[in-house]
mmCIF file of all heavy atoms in Angstrom:
data_model
loop_
_atom_site.group_PDB
_atom_site.id
_atom_site.type_symbol
_atom_site.label_atom_id
_atom_site.label_comp_id
_atom_site.label_asym_id
_atom_site.label_seq_id
_atom_site.Cartn_x
_atom_site.Cartn_y
_atom_site.Cartn_z
ATOM 1 N N ILE A 2 -16.148 -6.629 -4.611
ATOM 2 C CA ILE A 2 -15.215 -5.766 -5.335
ATOM 3 C C ILE A 2 -14.944 -4.504 -4.525
ATOM 4 O O ILE A 2 -13.807 -4.018 -4.457
ATOM 5 C CB ILE A 2 -15.771 -5.412 -6.730
ATOM 6 C CG1 ILE A 2 -15.865 -6.676 -7.595
ATOM 7 C CG2 ILE A 2 -14.888 -4.369 -7.423
ATOM 8 C CD1 ILE A 2 -16.573 -6.466 -8.924
ATOM 9 N N ALA A 3 -15.976 -3.992 -3.881
ATOM 10 C CA ALA A 3 -15.824 -2.786 -3.067
ATOM 11 C C ALA A 3 -14.859 -3.020 -1.907
ATOM 12 O O ALA A 3 -13.990 -2.181 -1.623
ATOM 13 C CB ALA A 3 -17.180 -2.327 -2.545
ATOM 14 N N PHE A 4 -14.986 -4.160 -1.222
ATOM 15 C CA PHE A 4 -14.050 -4.480 -0.137
ATOM 16 C C PHE A 4 -12.616 -4.517 -0.659
ATOM 17 O O PHE A 4 -11.690 -3.994 -0.031
ATOM 18 C CB PHE A 4 -14.404 -5.825 0.504
ATOM 19 C CG PHE A 4 -15.522 -5.764 1.497
ATOM 20 C CD1 PHE A 4 -16.662 -6.543 1.339
ATOM 21 C CD2 PHE A 4 -15.446 -4.928 2.606
ATOM 22 C CE1 PHE A 4 -17.695 -6.492 2.261
ATOM 23 C CE2 PHE A 4 -16.473 -4.872 3.532
ATOM 24 C CZ PHE A 4 -17.601 -5.655 3.360
ATOM 25 N N ASN A 5 -12.427 -5.158 -1.816
ATOM 26 C CA ASN A 5 -11.091 -5.245 -2.393
ATOM 27 C C ASN A 5 -10.537 -3.869 -2.743
ATOM 28 O O ASN A 5 -9.349 -3.593 -2.545
ATOM 29 C CB ASN A 5 -11.109 -6.131 -3.646
ATOM 30 C CG ASN A 5 -11.219 -7.600 -3.317
ATOM 31 O OD1 ASN A 5 -11.033 -8.015 -2.176
ATOM 32 N ND2 ASN A 5 -11.546 -8.399 -4.320
ATOM 33 N N GLU A 6 -11.382 -3.007 -3.266
ATOM 34 C CA GLU A 6 -10.926 -1.672 -3.654
ATOM 35 C C GLU A 6 -10.521 -0.844 -2.439
ATOM 36 O O GLU A 6 -9.506 -0.141 -2.466
ATOM 37 C CB GLU A 6 -12.017 -0.955 -4.448
ATOM 38 C CG GLU A 6 -11.722 0.511 -4.754
ATOM 39 C CD GLU A 6 -10.456 0.745 -5.564
ATOM 40 O OE1 GLU A 6 -9.840 -0.239 -6.038
ATOM 41 O OE2 GLU A 6 -10.058 1.919 -5.719
ATOM 42 N N VAL A 7 -11.288 -0.922 -1.363
ATOM 43 C CA VAL A 7 -10.916 -0.196 -0.147
ATOM 44 C C VAL A 7 -9.556 -0.686 0.360
ATOM 45 O O VAL A 7 -8.699 0.114 0.758
ATOM 46 C CB VAL A 7 -11.993 -0.356 0.941
ATOM 47 C CG1 VAL A 7 -11.526 0.255 2.258
ATOM 48 C CG2 VAL A 7 -13.299 0.303 0.497
ATOM 49 N N ALA A 8 -9.352 -1.999 0.333
ATOM 50 C CA ALA A 8 -8.071 -2.561 0.776
ATOM 51 C C ALA A 8 -6.930 -2.085 -0.120
ATOM 52 O O ALA A 8 -5.843 -1.731 0.367
ATOM 53 C CB ALA A 8 -8.150 -4.085 0.785
ATOM 54 N N ARG A 9 -7.163 -2.086 -1.431
ATOM 55 C CA ARG A 9 -6.115 -1.620 -2.342
ATOM 56 C C ARG A 9 -5.797 -0.146 -2.126
ATOM 57 O O ARG A 9 -4.631 0.262 -2.152
ATOM 58 C CB ARG A 9 -6.524 -1.871 -3.798
ATOM 59 C CG ARG A 9 -6.432 -3.329 -4.226
ATOM 60 C CD ARG A 9 -6.561 -3.468 -5.736
ATOM 61 N NE ARG A 9 -7.879 -3.074 -6.209
ATOM 62 C CZ ARG A 9 -8.899 -3.903 -6.399
ATOM 63 N NH1 ARG A 9 -8.759 -5.203 -6.146
ATOM 64 N NH2 ARG A 9 -10.056 -3.463 -6.843
ATOM 65 N N ARG A 10 -6.822 0.654 -1.916
ATOM 66 C CA ARG A 10 -6.574 2.081 -1.703
ATOM 67 C C ARG A 10 -5.782 2.323 -0.423
ATOM 68 O O ARG A 10 -4.952 3.241 -0.351
ATOM 69 C CB ARG A 10 -7.896 2.854 -1.646
ATOM 70 C CG ARG A 10 -8.691 2.888 -2.936
ATOM 71 C CD ARG A 10 -7.870 3.318 -4.121
ATOM 72 N NE ARG A 10 -7.321 4.673 -3.980
ATOM 73 C CZ ARG A 10 -6.449 5.225 -4.821
ATOM 74 N NH1 ARG A 10 -6.002 4.524 -5.847
ATOM 75 N NH2 ARG A 10 -6.004 6.445 -4.620
ATOM 76 N N ALA A 11 -6.020 1.498 0.577
ATOM 77 C CA ALA A 11 -5.243 1.627 1.820
ATOM 78 C C ALA A 11 -3.760 1.431 1.534
ATOM 79 O O ALA A 11 -2.912 2.134 2.101
ATOM 80 C CB ALA A 11 -5.729 0.615 2.846
ATOM 81 N N ILE A 12 -3.435 0.496 0.651
ATOM 82 C CA ILE A 12 -2.039 0.221 0.307
ATOM 83 C C ILE A 12 -1.478 1.316 -0.603
ATOM 84 O O ILE A 12 -0.389 1.860 -0.360
ATOM 85 C CB ILE A 12 -1.921 -1.157 -0.377
ATOM 86 C CG1 ILE A 12 -2.228 -2.269 0.631
ATOM 87 C CG2 ILE A 12 -0.538 -1.351 -0.992
ATOM 88 C CD1 ILE A 12 -2.357 -3.651 0.018
ATOM 89 N N ILE A 13 -2.218 1.642 -1.655
ATOM 90 C CA ILE A 13 -1.724 2.585 -2.656
ATOM 91 C C ILE A 13 -1.505 3.978 -2.068
ATOM 92 O O ILE A 13 -0.589 4.703 -2.477
ATOM 93 C CB ILE A 13 -2.700 2.633 -3.853
ATOM 94 C CG1 ILE A 13 -2.660 1.294 -4.601
ATOM 95 C CG2 ILE A 13 -2.378 3.784 -4.796
ATOM 96 C CD1 ILE A 13 -3.767 1.115 -5.617
ATOM 97 N N THR A 14 -2.336 4.370 -1.121
ATOM 98 C CA THR A 14 -2.216 5.710 -0.535
ATOM 99 C C THR A 14 -1.244 5.758 0.644
ATOM 100 O O THR A 14 -1.025 6.836 1.205
ATOM 101 C CB THR A 14 -3.592 6.226 -0.075
ATOM 102 O OG1 THR A 14 -4.171 5.295 0.859
ATOM 103 C CG2 THR A 14 -4.530 6.394 -1.265
ATOM 104 N N ASP A 15 -0.658 4.636 1.008
ATOM 105 C CA ASP A 15 0.384 4.644 2.033
ATOM 106 C C ASP A 15 1.590 5.411 1.470
ATOM 107 O O ASP A 15 2.079 5.085 0.383
ATOM 108 C CB ASP A 15 0.782 3.201 2.369
ATOM 109 C CG ASP A 15 1.747 3.098 3.543
ATOM 110 O OD1 ASP A 15 2.673 3.928 3.622
ATOM 111 O OD2 ASP A 15 1.583 2.189 4.370
ATOM 112 N N PRO A 16 2.093 6.407 2.168
ATOM 113 C CA PRO A 16 3.225 7.204 1.645
ATOM 114 C C PRO A 16 4.456 6.362 1.307
ATOM 115 O O PRO A 16 5.278 6.775 0.477
ATOM 116 C CB PRO A 16 3.529 8.177 2.789
ATOM 117 C CG PRO A 16 2.252 8.282 3.550
ATOM 118 C CD PRO A 16 1.624 6.924 3.461
ATOM 119 N N GLU A 17 4.568 5.190 1.912
ATOM 120 C CA GLU A 17 5.735 4.353 1.652
ATOM 121 C C GLU A 17 5.511 3.354 0.518
ATOM 122 O O GLU A 17 6.367 2.506 0.262
ATOM 123 C CB GLU A 17 6.150 3.636 2.933
ATOM 124 C CG GLU A 17 6.634 4.616 4.008
ATOM 125 C CD GLU A 17 7.198 3.930 5.231
ATOM 126 O OE1 GLU A 17 6.740 2.800 5.543
ATOM 127 O OE2 GLU A 17 8.077 4.525 5.875
ATOM 128 N N PHE A 18 4.399 3.467 -0.186
ATOM 129 C CA PHE A 18 4.143 2.589 -1.323
ATOM 130 C C PHE A 18 4.979 3.003 -2.534
ATOM 131 O O PHE A 18 5.411 2.158 -3.316
ATOM 132 C CB PHE A 18 2.656 2.596 -1.667
ATOM 133 C CG PHE A 18 2.276 1.666 -2.788
ATOM 134 C CD1 PHE A 18 2.414 0.295 -2.652
ATOM 135 C CD2 PHE A 18 1.766 2.159 -3.982
ATOM 136 C CE1 PHE A 18 2.068 -0.574 -3.682
ATOM 137 C CE2 PHE A 18 1.404 1.305 -5.015
ATOM 138 C CZ PHE A 18 1.558 -0.063 -4.867
ATOM 139 N N HIS A 19 5.174 4.275 -2.742
ATOM 140 C CA HIS A 19 6.023 4.806 -3.817
ATOM 141 C C HIS A 19 5.632 4.259 -5.191
ATOM 142 O O HIS A 19 6.488 3.820 -5.968
ATOM 143 C CB HIS A 19 7.506 4.510 -3.546
ATOM 144 C CG HIS A 19 8.058 5.223 -2.353
ATOM 145 N ND1 HIS A 19 8.368 6.572 -2.359
ATOM 146 C CD2 HIS A 19 8.342 4.780 -1.099
ATOM 147 C CE1 HIS A 19 8.835 6.933 -1.176
ATOM 148 N NE2 HIS A 19 8.808 5.861 -0.381
ATOM 149 N N GLY A 20 4.337 4.253 -5.463
ATOM 150 C CA GLY A 20 3.858 3.804 -6.765
ATOM 151 C C GLY A 20 4.135 2.336 -7.037
ATOM 152 O O GLY A 20 4.121 1.903 -8.200
ATOM 153 N N GLY A 21 4.378 1.566 -5.987
ATOM 154 C CA GLY A 21 4.654 0.140 -6.145
ATOM 155 C C GLY A 21 6.127 -0.189 -6.243
ATOM 156 O O GLY A 21 6.503 -1.363 -6.334
ATOM 157 N N HIS A 22 6.989 0.822 -6.215
ATOM 158 C CA HIS A 22 8.432 0.606 -6.314
ATOM 159 C C HIS A 22 9.120 0.914 -4.992
ATOM 160 O O HIS A 22 10.200 1.506 -4.949
ATOM 161 C CB HIS A 22 9.004 1.457 -7.448
ATOM 162 C CG HIS A 22 8.479 1.073 -8.800
ATOM 163 N ND1 HIS A 22 8.865 -0.075 -9.455
ATOM 164 C CD2 HIS A 22 7.564 1.672 -9.604
ATOM 165 C CE1 HIS A 22 8.218 -0.167 -10.616
ATOM 166 N NE2 HIS A 22 7.424 0.885 -10.729
ATOM 167 N N PHE A 23 8.495 0.478 -3.915
ATOM 168 C CA PHE A 23 9.010 0.758 -2.574
ATOM 169 C C PHE A 23 10.277 -0.028 -2.259
ATOM 170 O O PHE A 23 11.048 0.356 -1.381
ATOM 171 C CB PHE A 23 7.941 0.450 -1.519
ATOM 172 C CG PHE A 23 7.299 -0.901 -1.644
ATOM 173 C CD1 PHE A 23 7.841 -2.014 -1.016
ATOM 174 C CD2 PHE A 23 6.142 -1.069 -2.395
ATOM 175 C CE1 PHE A 23 7.258 -3.258 -1.120
ATOM 176 C CE2 PHE A 23 5.542 -2.323 -2.511
ATOM 177 C CZ PHE A 23 6.094 -3.417 -1.872
ATOM 178 N N TYR A 24 10.532 -1.115 -3.004
ATOM 179 C CA TYR A 24 11.735 -1.913 -2.761
ATOM 180 C C TYR A 24 12.989 -1.045 -2.921
ATOM 181 O O TYR A 24 13.934 -1.150 -2.146
ATOM 182 C CB TYR A 24 11.812 -3.098 -3.727
ATOM 183 C CG TYR A 24 10.521 -3.836 -3.931
ATOM 184 C CD1 TYR A 24 9.668 -3.521 -4.985
ATOM 185 C CD2 TYR A 24 10.134 -4.864 -3.064
ATOM 186 C CE1 TYR A 24 8.485 -4.192 -5.188
ATOM 187 C CE2 TYR A 24 8.946 -5.548 -3.251
ATOM 188 C CZ TYR A 24 8.120 -5.204 -4.314
ATOM 189 O OH TYR A 24 6.937 -5.871 -4.514
ATOM 190 N N ALA A 25 12.986 -0.191 -3.952
ATOM 191 C CA ALA A 25 14.155 0.652 -4.223
ATOM 192 C C ALA A 25 14.398 1.668 -3.116
ATOM 193 O O ALA A 25 15.504 2.190 -2.988
ATOM 194 C CB ALA A 25 13.969 1.375 -5.566
ATOM 195 N N HIS A 26 13.367 1.941 -2.326
ATOM 196 C CA HIS A 26 13.484 2.916 -1.242
ATOM 197 C C HIS A 26 13.780 2.238 0.098
ATOM 198 O O HIS A 26 13.931 2.932 1.114
ATOM 199 C CB HIS A 26 12.197 3.730 -1.137
ATOM 200 C CG HIS A 26 11.920 4.556 -2.352
ATOM 201 N ND1 HIS A 26 12.324 5.875 -2.475
ATOM 202 C CD2 HIS A 26 11.277 4.250 -3.514
ATOM 203 C CE1 HIS A 26 11.930 6.344 -3.653
ATOM 204 N NE2 HIS A 26 11.296 5.379 -4.306
ATOM 205 N N GLY A 27 13.845 0.914 0.090
ATOM 206 C CA GLY A 27 14.154 0.193 1.316
ATOM 207 C C GLY A 27 13.075 0.276 2.378
ATOM 208 O O GLY A 27 13.370 0.184 3.574
ATOM 209 N N VAL A 28 11.816 0.425 1.954
ATOM 210 C CA VAL A 28 10.708 0.532 2.898
ATOM 211 C C VAL A 28 9.609 -0.435 2.496
ATOM 212 O O VAL A 28 9.622 -1.010 1.396
ATOM 213 C CB VAL A 28 10.135 1.974 2.954
ATOM 214 C CG1 VAL A 28 11.182 2.942 3.482
ATOM 215 C CG2 VAL A 28 9.627 2.400 1.572
ATOM 216 N N VAL A 29 8.634 -0.614 3.390
ATOM 217 C CA VAL A 29 7.463 -1.458 3.137
ATOM 218 C C VAL A 29 6.229 -0.666 3.553
ATOM 219 O O VAL A 29 6.211 -0.084 4.638
ATOM 220 C CB VAL A 29 7.528 -2.770 3.936
ATOM 221 C CG1 VAL A 29 6.244 -3.579 3.771
ATOM 222 C CG2 VAL A 29 8.739 -3.603 3.499
ATOM 223 N N PRO A 30 5.180 -0.625 2.716
ATOM 224 C CA PRO A 30 3.954 0.111 3.073
ATOM 225 C C PRO A 30 3.129 -0.654 4.107
ATOM 226 O O PRO A 30 2.012 -1.101 3.829
ATOM 227 C CB PRO A 30 3.225 0.251 1.737
ATOM 228 C CG PRO A 30 3.670 -0.925 0.944
ATOM 229 C CD PRO A 30 5.102 -1.175 1.342
ATOM 230 N N LYS A 31 3.678 -0.778 5.301
ATOM 231 C CA LYS A 31 3.055 -1.600 6.331
ATOM 232 C C LYS A 31 1.715 -1.056 6.791
ATOM 233 O O LYS A 31 0.800 -1.823 7.115
ATOM 234 C CB LYS A 31 3.998 -1.761 7.521
ATOM 235 C CG LYS A 31 5.152 -2.718 7.272
ATOM 236 C CD LYS A 31 5.825 -3.112 8.572
ATOM 237 C CE LYS A 31 6.805 -4.247 8.352
ATOM 238 N NZ LYS A 31 7.360 -4.776 9.620
ATOM 239 N N ARG A 32 1.581 0.259 6.845
ATOM 240 C CA ARG A 32 0.310 0.814 7.304
ATOM 241 C C ARG A 32 -0.834 0.395 6.384
ATOM 242 O O ARG A 32 -1.910 0.004 6.835
ATOM 243 C CB ARG A 32 0.412 2.341 7.395
ATOM 244 C CG ARG A 32 1.157 2.844 8.620
ATOM 245 C CD ARG A 32 1.465 4.317 8.535
ATOM 246 N NE ARG A 32 2.529 4.574 7.564
ATOM 247 C CZ ARG A 32 3.087 5.769 7.366
ATOM 248 N NH1 ARG A 32 2.664 6.822 8.056
ATOM 249 N NH2 ARG A 32 4.057 5.911 6.491
ATOM 250 N N GLY A 33 -0.595 0.480 5.083
ATOM 251 C CA GLY A 33 -1.617 0.072 4.131
ATOM 252 C C GLY A 33 -1.916 -1.405 4.203
ATOM 253 O O GLY A 33 -3.076 -1.827 4.133
ATOM 254 N N LEU A 34 -0.869 -2.220 4.326
ATOM 255 C CA LEU A 34 -1.062 -3.663 4.432
ATOM 256 C C LEU A 34 -1.850 -4.028 5.681
ATOM 257 O O LEU A 34 -2.703 -4.920 5.648
ATOM 258 C CB LEU A 34 0.293 -4.374 4.453
ATOM 259 C CG LEU A 34 0.952 -4.619 3.093
ATOM 260 C CD1 LEU A 34 2.415 -5.028 3.275
ATOM 261 C CD2 LEU A 34 0.201 -5.686 2.304
ATOM 262 N N ARG A 35 -1.572 -3.345 6.788
ATOM 263 C CA ARG A 35 -2.300 -3.628 8.030
ATOM 264 C C ARG A 35 -3.794 -3.379 7.846
ATOM 265 O O ARG A 35 -4.630 -4.206 8.224
ATOM 266 C CB ARG A 35 -1.755 -2.760 9.157
ATOM 267 C CG ARG A 35 -0.370 -3.134 9.647
ATOM 268 C CD ARG A 35 0.008 -2.277 10.837
ATOM 269 N NE ARG A 35 1.404 -2.455 11.213
ATOM 270 C CZ ARG A 35 2.340 -1.509 11.107
ATOM 271 N NH1 ARG A 35 2.022 -0.312 10.646
ATOM 272 N NH2 ARG A 35 3.588 -1.764 11.476
ATOM 273 N N VAL A 36 -4.124 -2.235 7.285
ATOM 274 C CA VAL A 36 -5.543 -1.894 7.104
ATOM 275 C C VAL A 36 -6.203 -2.866 6.127
ATOM 276 O O VAL A 36 -7.342 -3.312 6.346
ATOM 277 C CB VAL A 36 -5.698 -0.438 6.629
ATOM 278 C CG1 VAL A 36 -7.155 -0.136 6.309
ATOM 279 C CG2 VAL A 36 -5.184 0.526 7.693
ATOM 280 N N ALA A 37 -5.495 -3.214 5.047
ATOM 281 C CA ALA A 37 -6.047 -4.154 4.070
ATOM 282 C C ALA A 37 -6.384 -5.488 4.727
ATOM 283 O O ALA A 37 -7.442 -6.072 4.478
ATOM 284 C CB ALA A 37 -5.058 -4.359 2.925
#
C-alpha cells in the first residue's frame, strides 16, 4: 500500500495533474506518471 501511495502522490502533486481534470487543460502529468 505504501508503494502505491508514493506512486499516487507523484502523480497528484504533478503541477499538470490539475486535480485530475488535466484533459481540459490539454496537458498530461507525465512527470508524475514517470516516477510512478
Side-chain angles (χ1 to χ4, degrees):
I2 295 172
F4 280 123
N5 285 346
E6 173 60 8
V7 173
R9 285 192 294 266
R10 294 309 299 173
I12 292 171
I13 292 168
T14 57
D15 187 319
E17 295 187 330
F18 183 65
H19 294 285
H22 296 287
F23 50 89
Y24 316 94
H26 296 267
V28 296
V29 175
K31 285 195 170 187
R32 283 169 287 186
L34 278 167
R35 289 185 189 113
V36 174

